[in-house]
Amino acid sequence: MIEKSFVMMKPDAVSRRLMGQILSRFEEKGLKIVALKLRAIDEDLARKHYGEHSDKPFFEGLIEYITSSPALTMVIEGDDAIAVIRKMVGATNPKEAAIGTIRGDFGMDTGRNIIHASDAPGSAKREIALFFDEDEICDYSMSDNAWIYE
């Protein structure tokens, strides 16, 4: 089933100049980037995005971190995109993430784990709506689709 997922390269990925390497992994996999925006995330948006963690002790540090520098936000589309991307991203704790995953290859600490990816269709829909207007999401055909999907 073709679905959309929200993905955010966090400030550490941007500041460490890893955007191109990470973005190319999604493209090489055959996923379609349908929206992309480099942006500073303000405190209000950060609190909405991470609202489910508001009662946790790490919440204020998370808000400070995610607002500290620009993040690259995107919408990625593909067959079972949410599960595929989560597998590519790896475990939340980079020390537990498999080598070959984004966090396993580029991260060392849970608090600086490079990337966020939606974990379910409901959260993907909510997160996409927080960061993108409908008219910012592009619909287009990939010329190599017949080589990616049966």
Side-chain angles (χ1 to χ4, degrees):
M1 173 175 73
I2 300 296
E3 60 189 5
K4 289 179 177 70
S5 181
F6 174 75
V7 177
M8 174 174 39
M9 287 188 221
K10 297 177 181 179
D12 48 336
V14 174
S15 295
R16 291 177 55 198
R17 299 171 311 281
L18 297 172
M19 292 184 294
Q21 290 181 69
I22 294 169
L23 189 60
S24 69
R25 288 182 180 211
F26 296 122
E27 290 185 310
E28 290 167 0
K29 181 70 175 170
L31 294 163
K32 181 166 58 169
I33 311 300
V34 295
L36 185 74
K37 192 186 308 181
L38 181 66
R39 65 179 302 158
I41 297 174
D42 64 31
E43 188 173 333
D44 183 53
L45 181 56
R47 289 182 181 281
K48 286 177 186 169
H49 178 66
Y50 287 114
E52 68 209 46
H53 300 300
S54 64
D55 60 341
K56 298 190 174 126
F58 61 82
F59 182 69
E60 291 303 323
L62 177 59
I63 299 304
E64 185 177 324
Y65 155 63
I66 209 69
T67 60
S68 67
S69 183
L72 186 68
T73 57
M74 58 194 125
V75 180
I76 302 177
E77 183 179 282
D79 191 23
D80 292 320
I82 294 168
V84 168
I85 292 166
R86 295 285 293 181
K87 193 168 189 173
M88 292 175 71
V89 163
T92 301
N93 181 344
K95 292 175 186 157
E96 297 171 2
I99 298 301
T101 65
I102 293 166
R103 289 177 176 149
D105 289 352
F106 300 118
M108 284 295 293
D109 188 85
T110 302
R112 299 291 182 267
N113 69 1
I114 305 291
I115 196 163
H116 165 85
S118 300
D119 61 0
S123 60
K125 186 175 181 176
R126 182 184 70 81
E127 292 168 345
I128 290 168
L130 274 176
F131 288 88
F132 292 93
D133 293 332
E134 285 270 332
D135 65 350
E136 294 178 305
I137 300 171
C138 301
D139 184 25
Y140 63 96
S141 298
M142 296 189 317
S143 61
D144 59 354
N145 229 30
W147 297 109
I148 296 169
Y149 296 110
E150 190 172 5

